[in-house]
Amino acid sequence: MNCVLFFSVGAFLVVAHEDKILRSIPRFSPHRSRVRSTEVNRNPNVAPLKSDYTYRTLYFDQKIDHFGFAQDKTFKNRYLLADQFWNRNGGPIFFYTGNEGDIEWFCKNTGFMWDIAPQFNAMLVFAEHRYYGKSMPFGSDSYKNSSVLNFLSSEQALADFTELISFIKATIPGASKSPVVAFGGSYGGMLSAWFRIKYPNIVVGSLAASAPIWQFKDITPCNAFNDVASATWARVSETCVSNANKGYSTLEEVGANAAGLKFISSTFHLCDPLTSMADVKSFKSFLSDMYVDFAEVDYPYPASFLADLPAWPVKEACKSLLSPLSGKPLLEALAKVTNLYFNYTGAAKCVDWKGEGSTASLGYLGWNYQSCTEMVMPMCSNGTGMFYNMDWDFQAFSDDCFKQFGVRPRQDWVKHQYWGTDLSAASNIIFSNGDLDPWSSGGVTEYISESVVSILIKEGAHHLDLRASNQGDTSYVREARTREINIIKEWLELTP
Amino acid sequence: MNCVLFFSVGAFLVVAHEDKILRSIPRFSPHRSRVRSTEVNRNPNVAPLKSDYTYRTLYFDQKIDHFGFAQDKTFKNRYLLADQFWNRNGGPIFFYTGNEGDIEWFCKNTGFMWDIAPQFNAMLVFAEHRYYGKSMPFGSDSYKNSSVLNFLSSEQALADFTELISFIKATIPGASKSPVVAFGGSYGGMLSAWFRIKYPNIVVGSLAASAPIWQFKDITPCNAFNDVASATWARVSETCVSNANKGYSTLEEVGANAAGLKFISSTFHLCDPLTSMADVKSFKSFLSDMYVDFAEVDYPYPASFLADLPAWPVKEACKSLLSPLSGKPLLEALAKVTNLYFNYTGAAKCVDWKGEGSTASLGYLGWNYQSCTEMVMPMCSNGTGMFYNMDWDFQAFSDDCFKQFGVRPRQDWVKHQYWGTDLSAASNIIFSNGDLDPWSSGGVTEYISESVVSILIKEGAHHLDLRASNQGDTSYVREARTREINIIKEWLELTP
């Protein structure tokens, strides 16, 4: 298990410009644990992952380039296979379309597939996305330069899934006639939707959970994402929101002198003390990211999805911010929120707000690269809610990408390639979204057609429905899962 | 106008193996004019192309690589645009998905689009396929090696079409809401079908004429193509077929000595006399290709599609072979057939059976490359009908490809990428085929669904329906066109 990736799927890139603009690449999950500790304590309230999640780890020789022939070499594409529930006489294959990270992590955090495999007599396959985990096209050189990174794209990943499924069907006795259903959450959910869109010959249908396939230029306003995050906090208390927003100016006021910087650093238990106004700006960004992360993982039960947290963490965090605050008391209250997120288990010595640097993990770097090529998701804020004012400056973004990777983003391509909002020709896709999840802003939450179904899960955070069933589950997520199961059954029944 | 390409879209590759196996890459059209003459006379019976085929020639800056970001350069992609019939207030765009050749040639030979543009108030756009005509990604170096050829593929071409249409819609006032219908014949027809399959957000429907999207491994038997060609001849006379078949052994018998070789060379008016049994084998292949070509262009009126020919050329050719023949009289009769095909206008000094060599034209070379990568269409014959025994040897084919281009074909990829026979998720495609056309063997000629329609045109040759209306047209092709027009109207009416 790659522990760095475990906590850092997604990406975070802070780039200091000449004009000191700080920006972050949108990401699906918290940037990193931000905890420096001697040991990582498990959240004692979280049930351990079920011991019957047993699978075989396998590798498939995948073409490095599916769309060109000059590069004919292959790499070892990792996948996990569990066939203990599978009925060889027609049982389906449930196929997880791996995200930007180690596939073992997604396998263990997608309990829904494990929960329903027995009733469907399904084989489970979890395919790792190229350039993540152990699926490195050029081994340790895979991130060396833009030339080797050239084959990191969603199109190549979908082609990988296509070839892997074709291989499984051709080689596993009994599998040739097994219908395949795609599952995915977050970027993996985008891939599962796009998989059905582009390769309906390979998958009979897709469950795309919390898949922001519309978080792109000219489709979703750049402030929508942050607006949902703010709304998630505002459900608990508007005061909570106004306190958080006030926190940014308070940080700048208090941090305007050396004593203030010291106060902030010690109040928030920062591993690296703030030493300048630039640090204050970075720290503002750090806090704003944390508010998003809280909303993303606002699960109804204690969970360790991306941080160890109690049930309903936003509500828990808000407790410190229920009355109007200002000055140092406000910062002390915000420090409690930060401590909740980054040190709920009490194992942290300090809060590692500077993190490990953007190049420390291939997980980050990979998503940064993808964000700098196809996955350009404009993000901004008008300064209301939980966030300070942040503009979206595509040119500056593009320049950063060129500086870091030698590539330029193509912000219209995903829309052209994957049909944008014109899903009239699509079929057999479930788009599920939780209304607490900031990513629902770019999700498909409107009626498309009888076979492209949108399920909005009330009080649902980021792909809550894909998680293992839990005693703390709301009736809303239980209903969503039941509906999903019934729709999947229909797909399978209609398959010849 | 590139006159070489004019007569040589498609490809012909003769490779002499150590074991003297001669094979040809399947092609959509005759290999070349095979005529050495001082001037090319027009067939006096063929009406000239209509003078109102007027269009503007334009160029669009197209990304060389749509699927990777390391190569960010662009090239000038040629397209032809005619808007004299177009209604800017909602008139549709009829978009020809260019084939393996100079786009002007397809523009002028796709009269159907010109014929129906006025009644639809349509804009016509003919997009040139990259690496053909004047759309060379690396200029005169575009065919230099496998590294520059790497971006020649159907996927890149479809992405080109997508980007070109997006550009037209974004920049031509009134075009943004114009629904786009794709048209194509032969490989262009495959592209138009695949375009709707992969990009239904870009085109509301496609007319795929004579598009052998099933001429691939494990879908269509390798002998099916030649069987249709034989059947086209057999409709005129079985004796004709048996004479042609007997011709191969007769050629070998007569050509077994120097006098016989001389007899054949002079009887067939060969520019390059036969000098060996290897030459005889090549010449057999030349004849067998010609029989296919006759069937492909067996139009009901005099035409100059790929050769200048009279109406119903197969029937005309058969006239020399109606009684059982053998020995030299048989060869003399076959020479008349050859003369009909290659010298109907009387302009030829001799028959250029050795042609210009496989590298003389980029048109050939491009299709050879595509056949050596994605477009692997297995061809064989069991020795019956118009053909001698020809095996399909994928390994030998692959080895040839590697020798010529440094690439290896991937014979399953097209099937995975473009859904093979599983078109259940497809919509709004017309697959039209002529029953005389050898390529109908790999076409979609069965019922798929209400919106994926197959039209089989009785007495129809290669994409007859796409040609301009002609007084000699059969009622069958007229009916087919009426049906096509009505279906296209339905697509447009249903577009919001």
Side-chain angles (χ1 to χ4, degrees):
Chain A
M1 176 80 58
N2 180 334
C3 282
V4 177
L5 275 173
F6 191 96
F7 288 105
S8 67
V9 284
F12 183 74
L13 173 66
V14 176
V15 182
H17 285 273
E18 293 141 22
D19 55 354
K20 307 291 182 199
I21 292 169
L22 295 166
R23 289 175 311 92
S24 63
I25 287 181
R27 63 210 176 280
F28 288 108
S29 49
H31 8 100
R32 68 214 72 179
S33 77
R34 305 281 192 180
V35 173
R36 284 192 200 157
S37 63
T38 41
E39 55 173 316
V40 176
N41 286 356
R42 296 294 304 175
N43 179 343
N45 299 318
V46 176
L49 292 170
K50 291 183 185 166
S51 58
D52 59 352
Y53 286 6
T54 56
Y55 50 78
R56 279 176 291 148
T57 300
L58 300 164
Y59 291 84
F60 172 64
D61 287 333
Q62 198 74 262
K63 293 275 183 212
I64 287 176
D65 189 4
H66 296 286
F67 301 101
F69 292 76
Q71 171 58 269
D72 198 42
K73 294 206 179 77
T74 60
F75 71 97
K76 298 285 178 196
N77 189 183
R78 182 165 61 153
Y79 63 105
L80 317 176
L81 192 146
D83 57 7
Q84 58 268 39
F85 315 108
W86 186 49
N87 178 346
R88 284 176 190 275
N89 293 313
I93 297 169
F94 286 175
F95 187 90
Y96 189 90
T97 52
N99 307 36
E100 71 289 17
D102 187 305
I103 192 60
E104 291 196 317
W105 188 75
F106 296 100
C107 172
K108 291 178 177 164
N109 278 280
T110 309
F112 181 59
M113 287 173 71
W114 293 93
D115 285 346
I116 67 174
Q119 64 178 291
F120 279 96
N121 299 310
M123 180 199 295
L124 299 183
V125 177
F126 296 83
E128 190 159 69
H129 193 300
R130 53 169 60 204
Y131 289 87
Y132 296 101
K134 295 196 187 302
S135 297
M136 292 296 165
F138 300 93
S140 57
D141 285 339
S142 295
Y143 279 77
K144 206 169 64 176
N145 54 42
S146 66
S147 161
V148 288
L149 275 167
N150 190 48
F151 309 100
L152 169 51
S153 74
S154 60
E155 289 93 344
Q156 296 280 7
L158 295 180
D160 287 343
F161 300 153
T162 295
E163 295 302 86
L164 172 56
I165 290 171
S166 300
F167 169 77
I168 286 172
K169 290 196 153 203
T171 55
I172 298 184
S176 68
K177 288 179 183 166
S178 289
V180 181
V181 178
F183 292 74
S186 202
Y187 171 52
M190 298 165 79
L191 291 172
S192 78
W194 294 340
F195 200 17
R196 172 64 190 173
I197 278 175
K198 287 291 195 180
Y199 296 92
N201 52 320
I202 306 292
V203 287
V204 299
S206 294
L207 172 54
S210 298
I213 64 162
W214 288 350
Q215 194 76 41
F216 292 95
K217 184 192 157 210
D218 299 334
I219 303 181
T220 298
C222 60
N223 59 305
F225 176 89
N226 285 326
D227 287 353
V228 175
S230 293
T232 295
W233 285 82
R235 292 161 77 104
V236 180
S237 160
E238 287 286 355
T239 310
C240 210
V241 174
S242 55
N243 275 324
N245 195 296
K246 198 173 180 185
Y248 300 121
S249 53
T250 307
L251 274 173
E252 291 188 350
E253 285 153 25
V254 173
N257 56 56
L261 290 172
K262 198 174 169 190
F263 171 80
I264 298 168
S265 304
S266 86
T267 303
F268 282 89
H269 303 290
L270 303 185
C271 302
D272 298 293
L274 306 187
T275 60
S276 66
M277 192 46 71
D279 275 356
V280 172
K281 286 191 174 172
S282 290
F283 188 62
K284 279 168 59 184
S285 164
F286 169 79
L287 287 183
S288 122
D289 287 337
M290 180 187 68
Y291 302 144
V292 168
D293 298 344
F294 259 110
E296 254 191 68
V297 299
D298 196 22
Y299 296 123
Y301 46 80
S304 295
F305 181 56
L306 299 158
D308 282 319
L309 288 169
W312 300 117
V314 171
K315 192 175 172 189
E316 201 62 34
C318 241
K319 283 180 181 165
S320 313
L321 300 167
L322 289 174
S323 357
L325 297 166
S326 60
K328 290 184 175 175
L330 171 56
L331 298 186
E332 282 162 347
L334 292 177
K336 284 185 188 163
V337 176
T338 308
N339 194 58
L340 173 67
Y341 194 86
F342 291 105
N343 196 19
Y344 179 58
T345 62
K349 287 193 301 186
C350 54
V351 171
D352 188 17
W353 71 282
K354 278 195 166 170
E356 303 149 335
S358 63
T359 56
S361 148
L362 295 181
Y364 300 142
L365 199 57
W367 187 248
N368 278 0
Y369 177 82
Q370 292 198 255
S371 299
C372 276
T373 49
E374 296 178 316
M375 299 298 153
V376 189
M377 299 180 173
M379 293 281 171
C380 67
S381 167
N382 56 10
T384 61
M386 302 291 285
F387 305 96
Y388 55 93
N389 192 69
M390 292 178 274
D391 291 331
W392 169 247
D393 180 346
F394 176 72
Q395 192 53 54
F397 179 77
S398 175
D399 292 344
D400 284 348
C401 289
F402 193 75
K403 212 178 285 173
Q404 191 177 3
F405 296 111
V407 298
R408 295 267 175 200
R410 299 178 192 163
Q411 56 183 344
D412 291 313
W413 177 240
V414 152
K415 207 165 47 184
H416 298 167
Q417 174 73 350
Y418 299 120
W419 311 0
T421 54
D422 181 4
L423 299 178
S424 56
S427 61
N428 294 9
I429 304 175
I430 303 167
F431 289 102
S432 66
N433 282 282
D435 63 355
L436 305 178
D437 179 14
W439 288 109
S440 67
S441 66
V444 178
T445 54
E446 61 189 58
Y447 177 83
I448 301 293
S449 67
E450 280 197 15
S451 80
V452 177
V453 173
S454 160
I455 297 178
L456 193 62
I457 305 167
K458 214 177 150 182
E459 297 180 10
H462 200 44
H463 52 64
L464 171 62
D465 48 334
L466 278 194
R467 298 176 58 80
S469 66
N470 188 295
Q471 288 192 332
D473 276 330
T474 62
S475 61
Y476 306 118
V477 72
R478 290 178 201 273
E479 282 161 22
R481 290 195 187 116
T482 302
R483 229 181 124 193
E484 289 163 5
I485 288 166
N486 288 337
I487 293 170
I488 293 168
K489 274 185 187 159
E490 274 173 39
W491 295 341
L492 295 173
E493 278 162 14
L494 290 172
T495 302
Chain B
M1 177 80 62
N2 181 333
C3 282
V4 175
L5 274 174
F6 191 97
F7 289 105
S8 67
V9 286
F12 182 73
L13 173 68
V14 175
V15 183
H17 285 274
E18 294 140 24
D19 56 353
K20 305 295 180 194
I21 293 171
L22 297 165
R23 288 175 310 93
S24 63
I25 286 180
R27 65 210 172 279
F28 288 108
S29 49
H31 8 98
R32 68 213 73 180
S33 77
R34 304 282 193 179
V35 173
R36 283 188 201 160
S37 63
T38 42
E39 54 174 316
V40 175
N41 288 355
R42 297 292 307 173
N43 180 344
N45 298 317
V46 176
L49 291 169
K50 290 184 187 166
S51 58
D52 59 351
Y53 287 6
T54 57
Y55 49 78
R56 279 175 291 148
T57 301
L58 301 164
Y59 291 84
F60 172 65
D61 287 333
Q62 197 74 261
K63 292 274 182 213
I64 288 176
D65 189 5
H66 295 285
F67 301 100
F69 292 76
Q71 170 59 266
D72 198 41
K73 293 208 179 78
T74 60
F75 71 97
K76 298 283 178 196
N77 189 182
R78 182 165 60 152
Y79 63 106
L80 316 177
L81 190 146
D83 57 7
Q84 58 268 40
F85 316 109
W86 186 48
N87 179 348
R88 283 175 190 277
N89 293 312
I93 297 170
F94 287 177
F95 187 92
Y96 190 90
T97 52
N99 309 37
E100 71 288 19
D102 187 305
I103 191 61
E104 291 197 316
W105 188 76
F106 295 100
C107 173
K108 291 179 178 164
N109 278 280
T110 309
F112 181 60
M113 287 172 70
W114 293 92
D115 287 345
I116 67 173
Q119 65 176 292
F120 279 96
N121 300 310
M123 181 199 295
L124 299 183
V125 177
F126 296 83
E128 190 160 72
H129 192 299
R130 53 169 58 202
Y131 288 86
Y132 297 100
K134 295 197 186 302
S135 300
M136 292 295 163
F138 300 92
S140 57
D141 284 340
S142 297
Y143 280 76
K144 207 169 66 176
N145 55 42
S146 66
S147 162
V148 288
L149 276 166
N150 190 48
F151 309 100
L152 169 51
S153 73
S154 61
E155 288 93 344
Q156 297 279 5
L158 295 180
D160 287 343
F161 301 152
T162 295
E163 295 302 84
L164 173 55
I165 290 171
S166 300
F167 169 77
I168 287 172
K169 290 195 154 205
T171 55
I172 298 182
S176 67
K177 288 179 183 168
S178 289
V180 182
V181 179
F183 291 75
S186 202
Y187 171 51
M190 298 165 78
L191 291 171
S192 78
W194 293 340
F195 200 17
R196 172 67 191 170
I197 280 174
K198 287 290 193 179
Y199 297 91
N201 51 321
I202 306 292
V203 288
V204 299
S206 295
L207 172 55
S210 298
I213 63 163
W214 288 349
Q215 195 74 42
F216 291 95
K217 184 191 156 212
D218 299 336
I219 303 181
T220 298
C222 60
N223 59 306
F225 177 89
N226 285 326
D227 286 354
V228 175
S230 294
T232 296
W233 286 82
R235 291 160 78 104
V236 180
S237 161
E238 288 285 358
T239 311
C240 210
V241 174
S242 56
N243 275 323
N245 196 296
K246 199 174 178 186
Y248 301 119
S249 54
T250 306
L251 274 173
E252 291 190 345
E253 285 154 24
V254 173
N257 57 55
L261 290 170
K262 198 174 168 189
F263 170 82
I264 297 168
S265 304
S266 87
T267 304
F268 282 89
H269 304 289
L270 303 184
C271 302
D272 298 293
L274 306 185
T275 61
S276 65
M277 193 45 72
D279 276 354
V280 172
K281 287 190 175 174
S282 291
F283 188 63
K284 279 168 58 183
S285 165
F286 169 78
L287 288 182
S288 120
D289 287 337
M290 180 186 67
Y291 302 143
V292 168
D293 297 344
F294 258 110
E296 254 192 66
V297 298
D298 197 21
Y299 297 124
Y301 47 80
S304 293
F305 182 57
L306 298 158
D308 283 318
L309 288 169
W312 299 118
V314 170
K315 190 175 171 189
E316 201 63 35
C318 240
K319 283 180 181 167
S320 313
L321 300 167
L322 289 173
S323 359
L325 297 165
S326 61
K328 290 181 175 175
L330 170 56
L331 298 186
E332 283 161 348
L334 291 176
K336 286 184 187 164
V337 175
T338 308
N339 194 57
L340 174 67
Y341 194 85
F342 292 106
N343 196 19
Y344 179 56
T345 63
K349 290 193 299 185
C350 55
V351 170
D352 188 18
W353 70 282
K354 277 194 168 172
E356 304 149 337
S358 63
T359 56
S361 150
L362 296 180
Y364 300 142
L365 200 56
W367 187 248
N368 278 0
Y369 177 82
Q370 292 197 255
S371 298
C372 276
T373 49
E374 296 177 316
M375 299 298 152
V376 188
M377 299 181 172
M379 293 282 170
C380 67
S381 166
N382 56 10
T384 60
M386 301 291 285
F387 305 96
Y388 54 95
N389 194 70
M390 292 178 275
D391 292 331
W392 169 248
D393 179 345
F394 176 72
Q395 192 52 53
F397 179 77
S398 174
D399 291 344
D400 284 349
C401 289
F402 192 75
K403 213 178 285 174
Q404 190 177 2
F405 297 110
V407 298
R408 295 269 175 200
R410 298 177 193 163
Q411 56 183 340
D412 291 313
W413 176 241
V414 153
K415 207 166 47 185
H416 297 166
Q417 173 73 349
Y418 300 119
W419 310 1
T421 54
D422 181 4
L423 299 178
S424 57
S427 60
N428 294 9
I429 305 175
I430 303 167
F431 288 102
S432 66
N433 282 282
D435 64 354
L436 304 176
D437 179 14
W439 287 110
S440 67
S441 65
V444 178
T445 54
E446 60 190 57
Y447 178 82
I448 301 294
S449 67
E450 279 195 17
S451 80
V452 178
V453 173
S454 159
I455 297 179
L456 193 61
I457 304 167
K458 213 176 150 184
E459 297 181 11
H462 200 45
H463 50 66
L464 171 60
D465 48 335
L466 279 194
R467 297 174 58 79
S469 67
N470 188 294
Q471 289 193 331
D473 276 332
T474 61
S475 61
Y476 306 118
V477 72
R478 291 177 200 272
E479 282 161 22
R481 289 195 188 117
T482 301
R483 230 182 123 193
E484 288 163 7
I485 289 166
N486 289 336
I487 293 170
I488 293 167
K489 276 184 186 158
E490 275 174 38
W491 295 340
L492 294 174
E493 279 161 14
L494 290 174
T495 303

